[in-house]
Amino acid sequence: MRKVSFILAAALLMVSAAVMAQQASKVYLTREISPESLVKIYKALGVEAKGRVAVKMSTGEGSNPNYLKPELVKNLIWEVDGTVVECNTAYSSGAGNEQDDRNSSANHWKVIERHGFTKYFPVDIMDEYDEIRIPVKDQTHIKYDIVGGHMANYDFMIALNHFKGHPMGGYGGALKNLSIGCASQNGKAYIHSAGKMEKLDMGKLWTPEFIGNQDGFLESMAAAAQAVVNYFNKKQGIIYISVMNNMSIDCDCVDHPEPVKLEDYGILASTDPVALDQACIDIINQQKVTAKNDPTDLLKRIDKQHGTHTIDHAAQIGLGSKKYELVNLDL
């Protein structure tokens, strides 16, 4: 009898584990893109931002018009008493005007001020003075993650992402914002090169040594994203919000991006960055081609750069789930 009971108990545990593995993460959605909706969707997550709150977002390359505007995000940042955090880029914009570059703190601050961020809230360039290494669980390519040193000053992070295309990663969302976005200049080189270049060498930008292999780069992004998530989960926590507006095939890091061909869609949020990026990708895939709304170029960019491999690898290493339940806050 005891043996039967033990077998039944073991079977129940296995069934329970299988059910848990199949559970879908909740992704919240509102079609309204406004300062009020950002606060609404943050509150819907049911996770309070505590302590010193870092709001990781891109403040945009100098002449890029598509970045999330401070007027849109200010209510959310005031709600959580947050600080916008950034890191310097690992490249020149190529625009021929160093005032538009963000690869030095001096020029980066000029762009941040010109784009209006310092008008509303504090901003911190996390790698302005130093960098730190944080542990990486998946060491397939990178052995640690090199992030801005000021990350240590924060207890909680809101990854506030602008979903759009990206020349290297195919798309930019939560996973890129957590990985490349939080990495110092050396950290960016380390991720891009899939662990081959630990220190940025400006003379080797875009060479095979810097670029590494595409899938290795994408997998390194997933690993670095997981490192940042684990770092904040050991503190007060981390959540993810993505705004689907001004969606060019190019990132906010591109000084003169390709024209926007997609209509604005809405705001999505989750406690699972993998589910959030997957939901955004699915939305793009479901768009119908019209005169004002054409996802063709963005889908080609994602496919060319094998962009969804980042999501696949992130799910494989246990960062989150590709399965999700979409919760429409507008209903």
Side-chain angles (χ1 to χ4, degrees), residues 11-191:
L12 286 171
L13 283 172
M14 290 177 65
V15 170
S16 177
V19 170
M20 289 293 291
Q22 294 174 7
Q23 283 185 342
S25 299
K26 287 188 177 180
V27 176
Y28 295 88
L29 164 70
T30 176
R31 297 297 301 273
E32 179 183 322
I33 301 176
S34 69
E36 295 76 19
S37 290
L38 270 172
V39 175
K40 177 182 176 181
I41 206 165
Y42 155 67
K43 290 183 175 180
L45 290 173
V47 179
E48 181 184 359
K50 297 179 180 179
R52 296 163 295 182
V53 179
V55 181
K56 175 61 192 75
M57 61 179 295
S58 172
T59 51
E61 202 71 13
S63 295
N64 189 303
N66 297 329
Y67 62 93
L68 299 180
K69 304 303 186 291
E71 290 76 17
L72 174 64
V73 304
K74 60 184 174 63
N75 285 16
L76 173 63
I77 297 172
W78 291 342
E79 175 74 24
V80 301
D81 192 21
T83 298
V84 169
V85 299
E86 263 275 45
C87 281
N88 290 320
T89 63
Y91 55 84
S92 169
S93 69
N97 179 6
E98 68 174 14
Q99 299 302 310
D100 287 337
D101 287 347
R102 295 181 295 142
N103 62 354
S104 74
S105 294
N107 286 336
H108 199 164
W109 276 118
K110 292 175 184 177
V111 173
I112 289 169
E113 291 171 3
R114 192 162 77 245
H115 284 180
F117 284 89
T118 53
K119 176 181 177 181
Y120 295 103
F121 26 70
V123 181
D124 182 9
I125 299 176
M126 292 193 293
D127 66 335
E128 182 169 13
Y129 302 109
D130 58 4
E131 61 189 22
I132 57 175
R133 295 178 177 182
I134 62 175
V136 168
K137 181 180 177 181
D138 170 41
Q139 297 189 6
T140 306
H141 304 286
I142 59 175
K143 306 308 177 187
Y144 39 77
D145 189 20
I146 312 172
V147 299
H150 295 182
M151 184 181 286
N153 297 334
Y154 300 97
D155 307 305
F156 190 100
M157 177 172 279
I158 298 176
L160 182 53
N161 324 296
H162 177 209
F163 186 87
K164 69 286 177 190
H166 190 274
M168 296 289 291
Y171 81 95
L175 297 175
K176 178 183 175 292
N177 195 20
L178 292 165
S179 55
I180 294 294
C182 291
S184 67
Q185 290 183 313
N186 289 329
K188 287 176 171 64
Y190 192 46
I191 294 168

Side-chain angles (χ1 to χ4, degrees), residues 168-322:
M168 296 289 291
Y171 81 95
L175 297 175
K176 178 183 175 292
N177 195 20
L178 292 165
S179 55
I180 294 294
C182 291
S184 67
Q185 290 183 313
N186 289 329
K188 287 176 171 64
Y190 192 46
I191 294 168
H192 269 284
S193 65
K196 294 180 180 179
M197 185 186 292
E198 297 187 32
K199 187 172 180 60
L200 177 65
D201 184 340
M202 295 296 286
K204 294 181 179 179
L205 284 180
W206 316 123
T207 64
E209 182 178 356
F210 177 77
I211 296 174
N213 67 83
Q214 181 65 8
D215 280 1
F217 159 53
L218 301 176
E219 290 167 7
S220 297
M221 279 207 296
Q226 186 178 45
V228 173
V229 170
N230 290 345
Y231 182 83
F232 279 102
N233 277 335
K234 289 179 180 178
K235 291 188 166 188
Q236 294 292 337
I238 182 168
I239 57 174
Y240 320 93
I241 302 174
S242 292
V243 182
M244 299 183 74
N245 71 343
N246 299 322
M247 292 179 284
S248 167
I249 66 168
D250 287 324
C251 180
D252 299 341
C253 61
V254 175
D255 201 59
H256 295 285
E258 289 295 316
V260 172
K261 295 182 180 180
L262 278 161
E263 292 182 317
D264 294 350
Y265 189 84
I267 305 172
L268 291 84
S270 183
T271 57
D272 181 341
V274 178
L276 180 58
D277 275 9
Q278 184 65 57
C280 291
I281 290 288
D282 289 346
I283 285 170
I284 298 300
N285 272 293
Q286 293 161 8
Q287 296 300 297
K288 295 181 179 179
V289 176
T290 68
K292 297 182 178 180
N293 190 61
D294 189 350
T296 305
D297 289 348
L298 179 51
L299 291 173
K300 285 181 178 178
R301 169 64 60 83
I302 294 169
D303 183 62
K304 179 183 177 182
Q305 298 304 110
H306 205 186
T308 56
H309 184 63
T310 312
I311 299 174
D312 294 339
H313 191 71
Q316 182 181 340
I317 64 177
L319 178 51
S321 171
K322 292 171 63 177

